[in-house]
Amino acid sequence: MLNRSFRLLVVAVALVALALPAASLAATSARITDRGVVQSVDAGHIVLRALDGEVLTFSIVPRTVVRLNGAPAAIADVQPGFVARVVHDARAHALVIAAFGAPVTTTDRGLVTTISRTTITLRVVGGGSLTFALNAGTRFKFHGTPSGRQPAKPGAQVAVTHTAGGSATVVNVLKRAGA
């Protein structure tokens, strides 16, 4: 009787030992990687055209990690035409988006009306105004030379280089306020 119980225990342990690697493989295969050229992107989805021509759509979820050129980024920084690698689950939820490309930038000139820790607003020719986000990556310059934020006061004439998403990459003070 003891011998039979021991054999059943050995068989049960063997079955568990065989099942564990299979479960482990199933868990790792749940992550799939696809690559392609970004066709479109918004806050909820990213669409790639794979090298074989297939169009792939992935949902962006709260846990999606976005990197641009190896650095942490926002999904708004990813633009059509960039090359991307998307790691996703079986339900096409993007877990990691690693995009590569040069962001398209534009430069607008105007007078600073307000500046805070997170935004700068300019009055532009024609009377309109533009507001740009400032972040840790925004560089400040005075006449093209690196400087701090001090010269960028209300009334200063500036040139703001920004991405299509509206984040300022460079604020170059061309003329101080009152000068």
Side-chain angles (χ1 to χ4, degrees):
M1 183 75 156
L2 181 62
N3 198 14
R4 183 175 178 181
S5 296
F6 182 71
R7 277 193 238 161
L8 285 173
L9 179 64
V10 168
V11 168
V13 168
L15 287 174
V16 169
L18 289 173
L20 285 177
S24 174
L25 287 175
T28 57
S29 68
R31 291 186 174 218
I32 305 155
T33 301
D34 282 297
R35 293 170 180 80
V37 177
V38 176
Q39 300 299 298
S40 66
V41 62
D42 60 36
H45 298 88
I46 184 167
V47 179
L48 300 183
R49 180 171 302 279
L51 294 177
D52 65 1
E54 183 180 5
V55 176
L56 308 166
T57 302
F58 305 100
S59 298
I60 297 169
V61 295
R63 68 180 184 272
T64 302
V65 174
V66 180
R67 298 188 68 76
L68 178 58
N69 298 327
I75 194 64
D77 297 327
V78 178
Q79 299 173 10
F82 285 7
V83 174
R85 175 177 52 88
V86 177
V87 178
H88 59 93
D89 62 17
R91 295 179 304 197
H93 293 151
L95 305 172
V96 177
I97 298 171
F100 301 90
V104 177
T105 59
T106 305
T107 302
D108 285 297
R109 296 172 187 255
L111 292 176
V112 176
T113 55
T114 60
I115 185 168
S116 71
R117 191 176 56 78
T118 58
T119 62
I120 185 168
T121 301
L122 308 181
R123 186 175 65 240
V124 293
V125 174
S129 67
L130 298 172
T131 300
F132 305 101
L134 301 175
N135 56 41
T138 303
R139 293 176 292 141
F140 285 83
K141 296 183 176 185
F142 180 68
H143 294 291
T145 303
S147 77
R149 297 171 69 113
Q150 300 83 7
K153 295 180 179 177
Q157 183 179 3
V158 298
V160 177
T161 303
H162 58 91
T163 63
S167 295
T169 55
V170 177
V171 176
N172 186 17
V173 177
L174 306 172
K175 188 176 179 185
R176 289 184 189 259

